[in-house]
């Protein structure tokens, strides 16, 4: 059931945020995150959320991410942890799983290429 704009959104149980892996001299990246000023329920799914409502909520969260100055840092944080839930850095959990799988495949390909290159150099 799609919620109408005049109806309040169901508030999700939000997992406690993890501490970022790295902080620079200017402070942790998340202090600059635009989402700190938005409803946390926008980024995390309520239980038993209908598909249409989930898609609409995720798109709204992605619009917030798109204007965030630390979107890349947020995305990398979510990929490195890895964060299992919510929209982080403009990516849903499913989209992050795809990115991680592509990165793993790429690492395997690079290792194979490096190994093949070393064998060719040794033979030459």
């Amino acid at each position: 059931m799609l919620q109408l704009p005049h109806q309040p959104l169901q508030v999700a149980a939000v997992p406690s945020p993890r501490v970022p892996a790295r902080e620079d001299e200017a402070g942790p990246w998340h202090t600059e995150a635009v989402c700190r000023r938005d409803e946390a329920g926008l980024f995390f799914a309520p239980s038993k959320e209908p598909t249409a409502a989930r898609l609409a909520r995720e798109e709204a969260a992605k619009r917030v991410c798109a204007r965030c100055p630390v979107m890349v840092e947020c995305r990398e944080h979510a990929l490195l942890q890895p964060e299992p839930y919510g929209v982080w850095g403009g990516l849903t959990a499913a989209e992050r799983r795809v990115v991680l799988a592509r990165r793993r495949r790429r690492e395997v390909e690079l290792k194979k290429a490096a190994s093949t290159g070393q064998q060719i150099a040794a033979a030459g």
Side-chain angles (χ1 to χ4, degrees):
M1 176 175 95
L2 185 59
Q3 293 181 337
L4 299 175
H6 66 280
Q7 295 177 332
L9 289 173
Q10 291 177 326
V11 177
V14 179
S16 60
R18 295 183 183 171
V19 176
R22 181 182 68 88
E23 295 182 7
D24 58 22
E25 297 90 35
W29 61 265
H30 56 83
T31 60
E32 301 299 319
V34 173
C35 63
R36 292 177 63 91
R37 297 180 290 276
D38 288 306
E39 183 180 327
L42 186 62
F43 297 90
F44 295 94
S47 61
K48 300 179 183 179
E49 182 179 34
T51 301
R54 177 182 55 81
L55 293 173
R57 180 188 47 74
E58 288 173 346
E59 284 305 313
K62 288 178 179 187
R63 285 192 298 275
V64 172
C65 292
R67 67 178 200 271
C68 184
V70 293
M71 183 180 74
V72 173
E73 292 88 342
C74 179
R75 180 178 294 175
E76 284 306 310
H77 163 82
L79 291 167
L80 292 173
Q81 285 302 321
E83 292 289 352
Y85 306 107
V87 175
W88 290 78
L91 297 177
T92 64
E95 291 166 337
R96 289 191 304 276
R97 286 191 295 273
V98 169
V99 170
L100 289 171
R102 286 180 182 159
R103 284 185 179 183
R104 284 190 294 271
R105 280 194 304 272
R106 178 79 175 137
E107 287 174 12
V108 168
E109 291 170 3
L110 290 173
K111 286 179 185 177
K112 283 182 184 178
S115 174
T116 303
Q118 289 174 354
Q119 291 173 356
I120 292 172

